[in-house]
C-alpha cells in the first residue's frame, strides 16, 4: 500500500512537471520576435538619458512626434538583464516567467478543489493556449498580474473579506509602468465594484452569486485607489493615450500580425475554442445569476477573438469560470441527485 501511494504521488508530480514545461519549452526556442530589439534599445536610451522619451528618438518619421513608451519599466528591466547576463539571461527570464505563469494558473485552478485529473487537464489547456506568447515581451507581466488579480477577486467574492483586495492598488501601480494592458485588469475590477449596483438595478429580486457581506463601498474604494495608482507613472494621465489610440485607430489590426484574429489553422486555436465553449456551457448549465462571470468571459472572448496576442485573457477567464468552486459543488449535487 505504501509503495502504491508513493508511485501515485510520483506520477502526479511528473504530470505537474510536464504541464509546467508547456510554456517554458516554447521560451527555449530561438528568439524570432523583432520587438525584443526595440525594447532593448528603448531601455538603453532610458538608462542613458535618465528619463523616459516623450518623442520618438529612433526614426525620422517619428521625430518630434509625441510618443508614450508605456512599457518603459519592462524595457529597463530587459536591458539590465541583457547587460548583465547576455542573451542567455533573456532566455532565462522568459523561461522563469513561463514557470511563474504555470504556477499562478495552477493555483487558480486548485482553489476549486477539483480531482487531480480535471485539475491537470484544465491547467494544461489554459497553458497550451498561451504557449505561443512565451517570448520576452511585457505581456508576460500582464498575464501574471491578471491571474493574480483574478485570484484575489475570487477570494474576496467567496469569503467577503476585504484584505485580499488591499494588494490591488500596488499591483496596478507596477502594472501601469510595465504594460498598457493593465486596462484589462481595471475593467474587471470596475465590474466587481459596480456589480452590486447593477444587480439592484437589473435583478432586484435576486442576489449576486458569490455575494459577500462586505459593503459595496469597499471594492469601489479599491477600484478608485487602483485607478489613481495607474497615474503614478512618468507619463501620469497621458498613459491612457495609447489606449485611446488603439481603440480608435483600428487599421493596425489589419497590418500587424500579432493583432490579427485567430485563424484556426493549428490545434492550439481549437483548444482555446473548446475552453471558451466549455466555460459558456458551464455558465448556462449553472444558470449563474451573478454578472461578474458573464462579463469576465465576454471580455476574454472579445479580446481574444479580436487579436491573437490577447488570447491569454480569454484562456485565463475561461479557466476561472470553469474552476469556480460553486460550479463544482452544484455539479456534485446534481450528480448525486
Amino acid at each position: 500500500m505504501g509503495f502504491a501511494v508513493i508511485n501515485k504521488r510520483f506520477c502526479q508530480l511528473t504530470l505537474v512537471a510536464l504541464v509546467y514545461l508547456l510554456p517554458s519549452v516554447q521560451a527555449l526556442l530561438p528568439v524570432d520576435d523583432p520587438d525584443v530589439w526595440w525594447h532593448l534599445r528603448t531601455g538603453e536610451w532610458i538608462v542613458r538619458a535618465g528619463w523616459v522619451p516623450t518623442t520618438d528618438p529612433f526614426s525620422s518619421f517619428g521625430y518630434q512626434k509625441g510618443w508614450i513608451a508605456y512599457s518603459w519599466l519592462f524595457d529597463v528591466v530587459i536591458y539590465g538583464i541583457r547587460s548583465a547576463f547576455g542573451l542567455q539571461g533573456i532566455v532565462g527570464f522568459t523561461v522563469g516567467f513561463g514557470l511563474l505563469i504555470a504556477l499562478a494558473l495552477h493555483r487558480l485552478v486548485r482553489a476549486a478543489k477539483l480531482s487531480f485529473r480535471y485539475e491537470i487537464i484544465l491547467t494544461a489547456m489554459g497553458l497550451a493556449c498561451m504557449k505561443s506568447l512565451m517570448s520576452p515581451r511585457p505581456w508576460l507581466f500582464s498575464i501574471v498580474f491578471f491571474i493574480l488579480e483574478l485570484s484575489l477577486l475570487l477570494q474576496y467574492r467567496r469569503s467577503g473579506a476585504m484584505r485580499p483586495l488591499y494588494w490591488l492598488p500596488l499591483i496596478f501601480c507596477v502594472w501601469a509602468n510595465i504594460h498598457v494592458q493593465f486596462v484589462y485588469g481595471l475593467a474587471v475590477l470596475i465590474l466587481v465594484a459596480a456589480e452590486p449596483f447593477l444587480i439592484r438595478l437589473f435583478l432586484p429580486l435576486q442576489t449576486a452569486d458569490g455575494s459577500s457581506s462586505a459593503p459595496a463601498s469597499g471594492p469601489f474604494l479599491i477600484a478608485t485607489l487602483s485607478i489613481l495608482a495607474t497615474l503614478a507613472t512618468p507619463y501620469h494621465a497621458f498613459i491612457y493615450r495609447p489606449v485611446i489610440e488603439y481603440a480608435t485607430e483600428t487599421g493596425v489590426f489589419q497590418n500587424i500580425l500579432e493583432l490579427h484574429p485567430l485563424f484556426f489553422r493549428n490545434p492550439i486555436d481549437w483548444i482555446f475554442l473548446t475552453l471558451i465553449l466549455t466555460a459558456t456551457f458551464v455558465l448556462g448549465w449553472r444558470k449563474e445569476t451573478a454578472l461578474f462571470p458573464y462579463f469576465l468571459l465576454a471580455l476574454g472572448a472579445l479580446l481574444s477573438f479580436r487579436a491573437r496576442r490577447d488570447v491569454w485573457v480569454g484562456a485565463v477567464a475561461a479557466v476561472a469560470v470553469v474552476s469556480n468552486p460553486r460550479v463544482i459543488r452544484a455539479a456534485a449535487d446534481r450528480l448525486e441527485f
Side-chain angles (χ1 to χ4, degrees):
M1 180 65 69
F3 176 78
V5 172
I6 294 175
N7 185 55
K8 179 180 179 181
R9 175 61 66 179
F10 175 78
C11 291
Q12 290 179 343
L13 291 176
T14 302
L15 283 175
V16 170
L18 291 174
V19 169
Y20 276 41
L21 286 176
L22 277 174
S24 300
V25 168
Q26 178 70 26
L28 290 173
L29 297 177
V31 178
D32 59 355
D33 188 344
D35 275 13
V36 173
W37 315 111
W38 169 70
H39 285 294
L40 287 171
R41 185 66 180 91
T42 305
E44 180 184 11
W45 189 96
I46 293 172
V47 169
R48 293 185 176 181
W51 192 241
V52 295
T54 54
T55 58
D56 185 354
F58 304 125
S59 67
S60 57
F61 174 80
Y63 180 68
Q64 295 299 327
K65 293 183 179 179
W67 180 44
I68 304 296
Y70 51 76
S71 299
W72 74 271
L73 185 55
F74 171 83
D75 300 340
V76 171
V77 169
I78 204 72
Y79 171 70
I81 293 174
R82 168 65 174 81
S83 300
F85 305 104
L87 294 178
Q88 296 87 347
I90 295 180
V91 173
F93 165 83
T94 310
V95 170
F97 257 89
L99 293 173
L100 185 59
I101 289 170
L103 175 62
L105 190 66
H106 189 199
R107 287 179 59 86
L108 179 66
V109 175
R110 283 182 63 86
K113 302 186 184 304
L114 299 168
S115 68
F116 179 77
R117 177 188 305 174
Y118 294 114
E119 176 185 308
I120 287 297
I121 291 175
L122 189 55
T123 304
M125 290 179 68
L127 292 175
C129 295
M130 296 183 277
K131 182 172 177 289
S132 63
L133 300 175
M134 294 301 114
S135 60
R137 296 285 290 272
W139 59 48
L140 295 178
F141 283 92
S142 287
I143 296 173
V144 171
F145 286 146
F146 190 77
I147 297 175
L148 179 58
E149 178 197 9
L150 267 185
S151 298
L152 296 173
L153 289 174
L154 293 176
Q155 184 179 347
Y156 159 74
R157 288 171 59 80
R158 288 193 296 266
S159 67
M162 283 292 300
R163 181 173 297 179
L165 302 187
Y166 295 157
W167 290 99
L168 291 179
L170 178 60
I171 290 174
F172 278 102
C173 181
V174 179
W175 196 352
N177 285 279
I178 289 181
H179 199 203
V180 73
Q181 288 179 337
F182 73 87
V183 295
Y184 298 166
L186 273 185
V188 172
L189 178 57
I190 289 172
L191 180 82
V192 171
E195 185 181 25
F197 304 102
L198 296 176
I199 289 291
R200 296 190 191 101
L201 181 63
F202 296 107
L203 301 171
L205 300 180
Q206 300 182 40
T207 58
D209 183 40
S211 61
S212 66
S213 59
S217 59
F220 182 80
L221 176 60
I222 294 296
T224 302
L225 292 176
S226 297
I227 293 173
L228 293 176
T230 63
L231 304 180
T233 77
Y235 296 105
H236 307 301
F238 290 104
I239 195 65
Y240 286 92
R241 191 169 75 182
V243 179
I244 299 174
E245 292 175 352
Y246 276 121
T248 56
E249 298 177 8
T250 56
V252 297
F253 290 89
Q254 304 294 329
N255 302 317
I256 300 178
L257 182 61
E258 68 185 38
L259 296 180
H260 286 177
L262 298 173
F263 293 141
F264 294 98
R265 295 294 185 269
N266 62 77
I268 299 300
D269 293 351
W270 291 100
I271 291 175
F272 172 74
L273 180 61
T274 301
L275 198 55
I276 291 292
L277 292 177
T278 301
T280 304
F281 171 80
V282 164
L283 284 181
W285 174 78
R286 174 69 176 83
K287 297 181 180 179
E288 186 70 62
T289 57
L291 298 180
F292 176 70
Y294 293 103
F295 174 84
L296 178 63
L297 186 61
L299 176 68
L302 173 65
L303 294 174
S304 300
F305 287 119
R306 181 195 62 167
R308 62 176 63 186
R309 75 166 188 185
D310 292 334
V311 70
W312 61 268
V313 186
V316 174
V319 167
V321 169
V322 174
S323 61
N324 187 330
R326 295 179 64 89
V327 173
I328 305 305
R329 288 196 295 269
D333 292 342
R334 293 198 177 189
L335 289 176
E336 289 179 0
F337 177 77

